[in-house]
Amino acid sequence: MPPETPDLLREFRERALTEGIPPDDIARWTDLARPCAFLGTKGGGPVVGRLGGPLMLPPDAPDPWCKLAATVDLAALPAGATDLDLPVDGHLLLFADPDPDRIGEGNLGTALHIPAGATVEERPADLDPEWRNYPYETDFPEGLLRLSTDVSLPYFTSVPASGALLGCEPHPEHPYASELIEVWMEMPGEGVGLGLQLGGYAEDEYGEEDPSVAAGREAARAVARGELPAPDTDVRPEDWVCLAQWIHGLDGLEMALYSWSISRQDLAAGRFDRVYATMTWNP
């Protein structure tokens, strides 16, 4: 965890107590804290990647089916910046298709890890002149990404309803989830901000179910339809976590919440071909 985490969580506990939330409920919530890395285009932190191009790929890599959103230099991330089992070096490329008309209808992105020392060459950023299938004719933002470390708490109040394919029920272990989220969002420096978050918990517009767990369920359906490679081992939706979340602010899609999710088993095996991307947006 970042060195400032204990003080931050202590202040959070004090604020939650003043709101009348029982101490045991606060403790169970803070036990879920995860370290995360925030990559933004402002500030004085070290450069760890960039938004946008250039698109650098190995000569034998197939053309991606959607557009490059960001490249992260994994060797530049300090140990413990996230709780993800990321490769220690090389570059992580995140690709996105933020089409609001396809929300809930399929995978909206992918990811690729390029090992350190691999030969790469520049490819055209727009590989297909008909690629822009969403109605917002805009370029992705570009700029250097600078690192700051943070801590992340859950942003969901529900879990899938028992025995149901659809629908959620209140989280049985966290009856004060809504109140705890509200306290956290009022903490200094917290809340939605433009940039890229690695690890931690994804947020969505509704705060109902963990977006990564929901992505895991959608990914399982995609495997059954032959739209996503099968995992090497048994994977449950509960095993899925936030690889990255992008608050992108594209013209016409301001403050949309775009997430790449992956199971911990796939991450350990380097199966970035199984990343599943989703987006929520409340116009």
Side-chain angles (χ1 to χ4, degrees), residues 28-231:
R28 285 196 300 271
W29 195 251
T30 55
D31 284 345
L32 300 176
R34 296 174 180 171
C36 65
F38 183 77
L39 313 184
T41 56
K42 300 179 181 180
V47 173
V48 296
R50 65 172 295 119
L51 287 174
L55 173 58
M56 307 299 295
L57 294 174
D60 59 349
D63 289 341
W65 61 268
C66 53
K67 192 172 179 178
L68 178 66
T71 299
V72 180
D73 181 358
L74 296 176
L77 294 177
T82 78
D83 70 337
L84 299 177
D85 190 13
L86 290 166
V88 297
D89 55 23
H91 290 85
L92 177 64
L93 277 59
L94 299 169
F95 300 88
D97 177 16
D99 180 358
D101 294 333
R102 293 185 57 233
I103 290 177
E105 296 183 0
N107 197 352
L108 299 181
T110 187
L112 175 67
H113 174 240
I114 300 178
T119 299
V120 294
E121 60 185 17
E122 187 170 356
R123 303 271 183 95
D126 288 310
L127 299 167
D128 185 346
E130 298 181 358
W131 175 84
R132 291 182 178 180
N133 58 353
Y134 61 94
Y136 301 91
E137 297 289 339
T138 183
D139 292 324
F140 283 5
E142 298 202 5
L144 297 178
L145 288 171
R146 298 182 177 275
L147 172 71
S148 61
T149 55
D150 201 353
V151 63
S152 179
L153 287 175
Y155 192 82
F156 57 90
T157 62
S158 306
V159 294
S162 301
L165 295 177
L166 298 173
C168 293
E169 59 187 11
H171 201 308
E173 298 178 11
H174 302 285
Y176 291 88
S178 294
E179 292 86 347
L180 289 160
I181 290 171
E182 184 174 349
V183 172
W184 181 250
M185 298 304 286
E186 292 177 351
M187 291 282 292
E190 298 305 325
V192 174
L194 294 178
L196 190 73
Q197 175 183 303
L198 294 181
Y201 292 94
E203 301 178 13
D204 67 15
E205 290 288 347
Y206 312 107
E208 294 178 351
E209 185 184 4
D210 184 339
S212 298
V213 173
R217 288 206 315 277
E218 292 188 32
R221 298 186 187 107
V223 169
R225 296 191 299 265
E227 298 171 359
L228 192 73

Side-chain angles (χ1 to χ4, degrees), residues 5-27:
T5 295
D7 291 340
L8 184 64
L9 293 181
R10 187 179 304 111
E11 181 180 351
F12 169 72
R13 293 187 191 100
E14 292 173 355
R15 291 184 178 220
L17 285 170
T18 63
E19 295 297 323
I21 302 173
D24 288 348
D25 290 274
I26 300 171

